[in-house]
Amino acid sequence: MSPIKANGLVFVRMLKRYKWYIILGGLYLLTIVADPGINNSFHIPCLFKTLFGISCPGCGITRAIGALFQGNVQEAWQYNPQLFFIIPILIASLVYQWRSIYHQIVHTNSVP
């Protein structure tokens, strides 16, 4: 069996293993993009802010992500500017993780 076909089969097995994560994540993104008012009417309450009355460093990050998915960069910055520093770190981390998974699949021909 060729390496390309073997890698394709491994990829299919990996998709089957993580299909519910992919489906639920896709549905979540779809609800954010499809309903522009969802971020203004619903957000996760901050326990720190509820208890102490001041905003924690993570306050507004859910609304900022929602605003980014809708293309409102300025509104996302107003909700929580730290998100713009966290996103590059998360992307670099995901790329590194996917590269290591890919190399493990290619060299061992198995799904991690």
Side-chain angles (χ1 to χ4, degrees), residues 5 10 13 16-17:
K5 189 171 183 179
V10 171
R13 278 188 257 149
K16 285 181 182 178
R17 180 182 289 180

Side-chain angles (χ1 to χ4, degrees), residues 17-104:
R17 180 182 289 180
Y18 298 113
K19 69 181 173 187
W20 288 110
Y21 294 113
I22 296 167
I23 290 169
L24 292 175
L27 287 174
Y28 176 71
L29 293 177
L30 183 65
T31 59
I32 289 175
V33 172
D35 187 7
I38 196 168
N39 295 315
N40 296 330
S41 62
F42 174 77
H43 65 278
I44 300 168
C46 177
L47 181 62
F48 188 85
K49 189 171 186 174
T50 304
L51 291 176
F52 301 112
I54 56 174
S55 296
C56 73
C59 277
I61 207 156
T62 306
R63 289 173 282 168
I65 290 171
L68 269 182
F69 277 125
Q70 294 170 5
N72 299 327
V73 178
Q74 185 176 11
E75 185 178 346
W77 180 268
Q78 290 173 351
Y79 282 133
N80 194 333
Q82 294 179 37
L83 182 66
F84 293 94
F85 301 106
I86 294 171
I87 288 176
I89 294 169
L90 288 176
I91 290 172
S93 174
L94 287 173
V95 167
Y96 176 77
Q97 186 176 14
W98 278 101
R99 272 188 67 204
S100 67
I101 290 172
Y102 173 76
H103 287 296
Q104 186 174 0

